[in-house]
Amino acid sequence: MTSSAARGSPRAKRLDRIARAGQYLSRNGVRWTAYAALFGLLTRANHAVYQGMVRLERRHALSGRNSVENNYRVWDTWDWSQGGEEWTQSEEWKQSLIDDVIRAQLVPQTTMLEIGPGAGRWTKPLLEMASHLVVVDLSDRCIALCRERFSGAPNIEFHVNDGRSLTAIPSDSIDGVWSFDVFVHIAPPDVDSYLAEIHRVLRPGGRAVIHHGRDGHEHFAADAGWRSGMTADLFAEMLRKHGLKLRGQFDSWGPGGRFNVRRHRDTLSVFTK
Ligand SMILES: C[S@@+](CC[C@H](N)C(=O)[O-])C[C@H]1O[C@@H](n2cnc3c(N)ncnc32)[C@H](O)[C@@H]1O
């Protein structure tokens, strides 16, 4: 019997590949096997090139494909006719995120900040909960949509920003920050800039809940969903650097952890000033 160590050895892997190639040849013919070999080679090359991009992004703090300019271009021209509900996994998922995360983590009747509201998918429950809600987005179109949708509300203010700072907001003025489906698309250097700003605008003891990438580009498939290179560890490291205290990171919530953000390998960080 072959031991598992021997089975995993380079020689065993080579023999396994030869055996598989022989089986492919006899079952599928020469042309199909040649295409399959080429496909395997190109996939590995693709992965290697991608990892090279990721290494450069990390080493030189590049924004890669998740620059502020690209975010502006994508979201300012997005078809918002579904109001962002196209990303809602189910009504139960959404309601649980509101009840078991937003309402559980943020204090009612306080001043709150939402970064990246889109068409206001989370703005409505935040508005019902906050005494005052500040909404910031880099897309003037998203801010115009929210202005129109929440025009009757007396306790909301809107700002278009530069995609990395919160200059319109006074220091020590915010009790709770919420951002969902936004930081997953923001490049790590811009996240770093935002965390410095969140530290500035939060009151001591204030709390933030931010949804972001968990393992960046580690997993090739994580490319789906246009995620940036953020990881859970890098986010935690940035929080420490800015004097913010991480209270927890989780990728599921609700009864028995029934709901989650695992589809694109994301997580949520809860932190305080
Ligand atoms: C995928 S949409 C999500 C919208 C909303 N949060 C939701 O969950 O329905 C991304 C939103 O984040 C905004 N956004 C993207 N990058 C941003 C940045 N660097 N600063 C501020 N807003 C940003 C976009 O304009 C857009 O409104």
Side-chain angles (χ1 to χ4, degrees):
M1 191 189 281
T2 327
S3 75
S4 58
R7 250 184 276 132
S9 71
R11 184 165 178 275
K13 281 186 185 158
R14 218 171 26 250
L15 288 176
D16 183 57
R17 267 205 301 277
I18 293 169
R20 249 184 307 140
Q23 184 224 321
Y24 285 159
L25 259 175
S26 67
R27 286 184 193 266
N28 304 309
V30 177
R31 273 181 71 193
W32 187 94
T33 306
Y35 276 131
L38 188 60
F39 178 73
L41 203 71
L42 291 177
T43 304
R44 279 198 296 280
N46 213 2
H47 195 101
V49 169
Y50 190 71
Q51 291 305 323
M53 286 162 61
V54 172
R55 270 196 302 279
L56 282 178
E57 281 177 31
R58 290 200 178 142
R59 193 173 312 143
H60 302 291
L62 306 177
S63 52
R65 290 171 301 168
N66 295 84
S67 62
V68 166
E69 294 76 14
N70 258 355
N71 265 293
Y72 181 83
R73 195 180 48 76
V74 169
W75 305 117
D76 206 65
T77 55
W78 192 257
D79 172 5
W80 288 104
S81 56
Q82 293 180 69
E85 299 297 343
E86 60 270 41
W87 304 303
T88 296
Q89 295 181 20
S90 67
E91 267 317 305
E92 295 75 27
W93 175 91
K94 182 178 177 184
Q95 196 55 50
S96 179
L97 192 57
I98 294 169
D99 294 339
D100 300 317
V101 182
I102 300 183
R103 293 200 176 123
Q105 296 291 345
L106 301 179
V107 182
Q109 293 308 310
T110 59
T111 301
M112 295 185 192
L113 162 67
E114 182 181 17
I115 302 174
R121 182 163 59 133
W122 310 106
T123 314
K124 192 168 176 287
L126 287 169
L127 195 53
E128 285 164 6
M129 195 183 160
S131 56
H132 187 73
L133 179 63
V134 184
V135 170
V136 171
D137 201 296
L138 93 169
S139 154
D140 30 2
R141 181 146 164 265
C142 289
I143 289 298
L145 283 170
C146 287
R147 257 188 210 287
E148 195 185 329
R149 180 168 174 190
F150 303 107
S151 60
N155 59 335
I156 188 165
E157 67 179 79
F158 305 93
H159 301 282
V160 176
N161 79 339
D162 62 358
R164 50 174 77 92
S165 66
L166 300 168
T167 45
I169 305 173
S171 302
D172 297 329
S173 64
I174 301 289
D175 300 291
V177 182
W178 169 257
S179 189
F180 193 88
D181 257 351
V182 180
F183 279 69
V184 293
H185 304 302
I186 302 181
D190 297 326
V191 173
D192 191 54
S193 165
Y194 263 129
L195 292 179
E197 281 289 85
I198 289 174
H199 181 272
R200 182 183 65 76
V201 302
L202 268 182
R203 288 200 178 104
R207 178 174 280 248
V209 186
I210 306 276
H211 166 225
H212 60 85
R214 193 188 67 202
D215 56 10
H217 299 302
E218 294 301 331
H219 192 263
F220 194 42
D223 191 30
W226 194 47
R227 264 47 186 164
S228 80
M230 181 51 71
T231 66
D233 288 347
L234 181 57
F235 197 88
E237 193 184 310
M238 288 180 180
L239 291 179
R240 273 195 299 278
K241 174 178 147 191
H242 294 294
L244 291 159
K245 297 171 208 81
L246 181 65
R247 299 297 176 190
Q249 288 184 324
F250 56 93
D251 62 4
S252 68
W253 63 88
R258 201 169 134 210
F259 303 106
N260 64 68
V261 283
R262 293 196 188 123
R263 182 165 161 226
H264 291 306
R265 306 166 77 91
D266 299 335
T267 193
L268 285 99
S269 283
V270 177
F271 54 94
T272 54
K273 174 169 166 183

